[in-house]
Amino acid sequence: MAEPFDPSDFAAPPPSGDPHADYRTLLDAMRHAGAEGVAEQSATLARQIEQDARQRAEWSQQVGSTVQDLHRAAGTLQRASTGIWLDRVKEWITAALIALPVIFFAAFAYHWAKEPKIEQRMYGCAGRWDHKTGICKAGWVPLQPQQRP
């Protein structure tokens, strides 16, 4: 149970020459306690701010090195991509250089197979030789020895 309220505990201070003398001691004590508390809180806050600043500096260094690593990796990927692209271009050029002669040869062979063959008097004519056109006429005629003039 709480103690009974005693108004004499809150009696007016004894009269003195200075009416504010009693409060000065109290105010000085309050100022001193406030200053100590503020100083303690300020020191704690300053330590926390310094610690946060160090952590931010460390984090900034880590992020900076990570960003540099990413840039380095991106450059490496770009060079690899360019190399792959150039290899593909070389492959296409090589394929074209191989395919064009093959196509040309196939077209030439097709054309040669389709055109009529005319034997000239190189190995002798089995038919009748036409001197005007220089063509051996088809038909079986035995070779006759040529007379020399």
Side-chain angles (χ1 to χ4, degrees):
M1 189 167 197
E3 294 182 19
F5 179 71
D6 185 13
S8 64
D9 289 341
F10 300 99
S16 69
D18 188 9
H20 302 290
D22 294 333
Y23 297 110
R24 284 188 189 142
T25 308
L26 179 61
L27 287 175
D28 285 343
M30 287 174 55
R31 282 187 196 123
H32 185 60
E36 286 177 358
V38 168
E40 185 178 320
Q41 288 178 355
S42 297
T44 304
L45 186 60
R47 281 192 301 271
Q48 185 66 34
I49 289 171
E50 289 173 2
Q51 184 179 4
D52 289 345
R54 277 193 302 273
Q55 287 176 347
R56 276 193 297 276
E58 290 173 8
W59 182 78
S60 294
Q61 282 182 333
Q62 290 173 352
V63 168
S65 66
T66 303
V67 168
Q68 287 176 353
D69 292 343
L70 286 174
H71 282 293
R72 198 174 305 116
T76 303
L77 284 175
Q78 181 65 34
R79 285 188 297 278
S81 175
T82 302
I84 290 170
W85 183 82
L86 287 174
D87 287 345
R88 292 281 162 78
V89 169
K90 289 176 191 176
E91 290 172 1
W92 278 99
I93 290 172
T94 304
L97 289 174
I98 292 170
L100 288 175
V102 169
I103 291 170
F104 178 75
F105 180 74
F108 179 76
Y110 177 76
H111 180 69
W112 182 79
K114 285 299 206 176
E115 74 179 16
K117 305 295 181 284
I118 300 174
E119 284 188 29
Q120 295 186 356
R121 207 173 174 121
M122 188 172 188
Y123 298 109
C125 180
R128 192 173 56 101
W129 183 258
D130 187 11
H131 289 285
K132 281 185 175 179
T133 60
I135 298 173
C136 181
K137 299 291 182 176
W140 174 252
V141 177
L143 285 176
Q144 301 198 2
Q146 293 182 356
Q147 297 176 353
R148 295 192 181 178

